């Protein structure tokens, strides 16, 4: 099969390699769509990964073409999305089903072979069934969507909140979309690229709720939009000193700051910023990855198609992030394809990597299609 293989830092080649051998409990997925994640760029060109050779790619979808013994034969022929984290199921967080905080996990596309290939070996427990209304492209965007949803659910968002989103990369844009879908009365989005503005508007953001940080004073603008109060809830999706400070500065008294952006460099809080956290009694919280009902078969009689306990109260809360996303995709309540700026046939996907590395042109989600 053809696959993009990372042999070392900045040594990334499209090659012919043998099809993956399946271990017990795994299925073979024929990849149909695979998105490039922002984290793939340093992984390929700068920092490398845990072992070589490795096939990157953790945002992908496809069709199950082979089911190994010990797996449910019904997966064969099914269209699937893939939860890329393989938890140890033994550590403290795992025992509480908080797999996103597993202390000893494996990961498709960074610790073992992932989806930039014609075929990928995937543990059955990591599969999620795609309803027929959900496209393969959408299936390949489940992971970043679930990350955005996880941040919203961890932040104790309430529909009446005045919410600010700073940084409109993939996660920031998806956060904006899910906040609007969840009925946020006031979402204020701050970006710095024309593509971000156009996409945010396409996703339903009112024109006056967009701020361009290249030409506007963000702090003043948020003040004006919130009657001088600041944002009840502030999502920081950049990960720089200035933007973390800005988030604290623009949060309302007793407000919440949710830190989403991975840090670019050292993050140091200056004294006035620290004072503001104290005096405004802010809640500052982190969010990481997404929740997934690991290993729950969609055919289990106690669960309906969406992974909910049948007939239980609080269905919405008990749902994991991935099924929360899938419900909204199936109901056409969210349209993530608006984020896709480039589509490449699989054999030309390396162009997409270079676009994201060189930053010579604007880009959103770059998708490889089989
Ligand atoms: Zn990712
Ligand atoms: Zn664990």
């Amino acid at each position: 099969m053809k696959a993009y293989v990372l042999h070392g830092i900045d040594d990334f080649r499209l090659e012919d390699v043998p099809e993956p051998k399946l271990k017990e409990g795994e299925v073979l997925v024929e990849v149909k769509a695979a998105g490039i994640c922002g984290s793939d760029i340093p992984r390929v060109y700068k920092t490398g990964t845990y072992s070589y050779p490795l096939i990157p790619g953790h945002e992908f979808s496809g069709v199950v073409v082979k089911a190994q013994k010990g797996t449910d034969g019904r997966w064969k022929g099914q269209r699937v999305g893939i939860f890329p984290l393989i938890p140890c199921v033994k550590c403290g967080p795992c025992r509480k089903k908080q797999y996103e905080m597993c202390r000893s996990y494996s990961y498709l596309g960074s610790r073992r072979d992932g989806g930039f290939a014609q075929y990928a070996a995937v543990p059955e427990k990591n599969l999620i069934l795609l309803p027929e209304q959900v496209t393969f492209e959408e299936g390949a965007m489940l992971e970043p969507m679930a990350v955005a949803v996880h941040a919203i659910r961890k932040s104790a968002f309430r529909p009446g909140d005045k919410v600010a989103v700073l940084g409109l990369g993939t996660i920031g844009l998806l956060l904006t979309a899910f906040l609007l879908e969840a009925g946020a009365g006031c979402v204020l989005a701050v970006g710095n690229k024309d593509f971000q503005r156009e996409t945010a508007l396409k996703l339903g953001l009112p024109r006056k709720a967009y701020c361009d940080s290249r030409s506007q004073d963000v702090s003043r603008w948020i003040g004006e939009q919130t009657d001088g109060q600041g944002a009840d809830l502030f999502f920081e999706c950049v990960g720089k000193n200035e933007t973390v400070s800005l988030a604290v500065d623009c949060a309302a008294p007793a407000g919440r700051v949710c830190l989403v952006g991975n840090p670019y460099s050292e993050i140091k809080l200056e004294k006035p910023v620290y004072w503001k956290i104290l005096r405004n009694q802010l809640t500052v919280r982190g969010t990481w990855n997404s929740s997934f009902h690991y290993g729950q078969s969609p055919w289990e009689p106690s669960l309906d198609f969406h992974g909910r306990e049948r007939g239980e109260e609080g269905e919405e809360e008990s749902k994991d992030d991935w099924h929360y996303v899938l419900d909204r995709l199936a109901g056409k309540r969210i349209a993530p394809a608006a984020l896709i700026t480039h589509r490449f046939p699989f054999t030309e996907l390396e162009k997409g990597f270079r676009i994201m590395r060189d930053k010579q042109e604007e880009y959103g989600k770059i998708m490889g299609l089989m």
Side-chain angles (χ1 to χ4, degrees):
M1 67 168 185
K2 292 242 178 288
Y4 286 92
V5 183
L6 188 63
H7 288 277
I9 295 174
D10 201 11
D11 184 1
F12 192 44
R13 303 178 219 150
L14 178 62
E15 307 183 326
D16 281 307
V17 298
E19 264 181 36
K21 287 210 175 67
L22 298 181
K23 296 203 187 84
E24 207 185 312
E26 292 181 347
V27 301
L28 191 68
V29 173
E30 182 183 355
V31 179
K32 294 291 187 186
I36 308 176
C37 174
S39 72
D40 288 324
I41 303 307
R43 185 170 294 122
V44 168
Y45 296 111
K46 250 170 114 180
T47 55
T49 188
Y50 300 87
S51 62
Y52 305 101
L54 181 113
I55 300 169
H58 59 268
E59 299 180 5
F60 63 104
S61 62
V63 174
V64 176
V65 289
K66 213 188 270 178
Q68 186 71 338
K69 266 201 187 124
T71 59
D72 189 327
R74 282 173 289 185
W75 282 113
K76 216 174 148 201
Q78 300 288 354
R79 303 162 73 251
V80 292
I82 290 117
F83 178 63
L85 185 146
I86 303 167
C88 77
V89 305
K90 292 185 203 123
C91 71
C94 276
R95 274 185 272 137
K96 290 186 200 149
K97 302 194 174 190
Q98 296 168 329
Y99 304 113
E100 72 274 22
M101 290 186 286
C102 174
R103 303 287 119 184
S104 173
Y105 60 90
S106 185
Y107 206 91
L108 296 165
S110 71
R111 296 173 186 230
R112 55 176 271 176
D113 287 342
F116 293 135
Q118 279 179 296
Y119 297 97
V122 178
E124 174 189 32
K125 289 178 175 175
N126 290 68
L127 300 174
I128 183 167
L129 260 188
L130 297 182
E132 61 183 57
Q133 314 90 295
V134 176
T135 66
F136 284 119
E137 277 187 356
E138 291 170 334
M141 292 177 77
L142 282 172
E143 199 266 342
M145 287 194 274
V147 167
V149 161
H150 192 65
I152 295 172
R153 297 173 98 192
K154 287 284 164 194
S155 70
F157 159 74
R158 291 178 292 257
D161 284 337
K162 290 193 165 117
V163 189
V165 179
L166 175 61
L168 298 181
T170 298
I171 302 297
L173 282 169
L174 290 171
L175 256 167
T176 304
F178 279 104
L179 284 165
L180 292 167
E181 192 277 335
C186 171
V187 182
L188 305 168
V190 184
N192 61 3
K193 292 188 177 76
D194 295 337
F195 154 75
Q196 294 173 348
R197 180 175 157 279
E198 284 155 29
T199 310
L201 299 187
K202 259 191 232 165
L203 292 169
L205 188 83
R207 197 167 289 264
K208 64 174 178 33
Y210 181 84
C211 170
D212 191 325
S213 63
R214 291 172 298 187
S215 56
Q216 285 170 276
D217 179 329
V218 177
S219 180
R220 189 197 295 166
W221 180 77
I222 288 180
E224 284 164 7
Q225 303 299 316
T226 57
D227 304 319
Q229 290 296 300
D232 301 310
L233 176 55
F234 199 113
F235 290 97
E236 198 288 329
C237 306
V238 180
K240 289 185 174 169
N241 259 316
E242 312 87 86
T243 47
V244 172
S245 301
L246 195 61
V248 170
D249 195 44
C250 294
R256 287 155 285 148
V257 174
C258 186
L259 301 176
V260 184
N262 292 2
Y264 264 71
S265 54
E266 295 298 314
I267 304 282
K268 290 182 185 135
L269 297 182
E270 286 176 4
K271 207 166 157 192
V273 177
Y274 192 85
W275 268 123
K276 214 144 200 177
I277 297 175
L278 266 55
R279 287 178 175 270
N280 276 344
Q281 303 198 76
L282 300 182
T283 304
V284 179
R285 76 160 302 151
T287 170
W288 187 246
N289 218 307
S290 57
S291 66
F292 184 72
H293 286 329
Y294 184 72
Q296 281 192 4
S297 158
W299 293 282
E300 264 173 48
S302 64
L303 298 170
D304 73 8
F305 181 73
H306 299 296
R308 295 174 288 223
E309 301 283 330
R310 275 202 182 123
E312 268 196 14
E313 289 292 315
E315 278 185 351
E316 190 69 13
E317 291 76 56
S318 71
K319 211 179 295 174
D320 66 23
D321 298 327
W322 285 63
H323 289 90
Y324 178 106
V325 170
L326 212 52
D327 272 5
R328 275 135 189 94
L329 284 174
K332 301 281 174 207
R333 291 168 67 180
I334 201 104
L339 272 75
I340 302 173
T341 49
H342 298 73
R343 291 175 172 89
F344 289 109
F346 178 68
T347 49
E348 291 169 33
L349 189 59
E350 211 185 330
K351 287 183 196 160
F353 278 82
R354 276 185 251 119
I355 289 169
M356 289 175 70
R357 178 192 66 188
D358 301 338
K359 297 188 171 24
Q360 299 291 328
E361 57 183 288
E362 292 197 348
Y363 61 85
K365 183 50 74 185
I366 298 184
M367 195 61 74
L369 299 170
M370 297 301 179

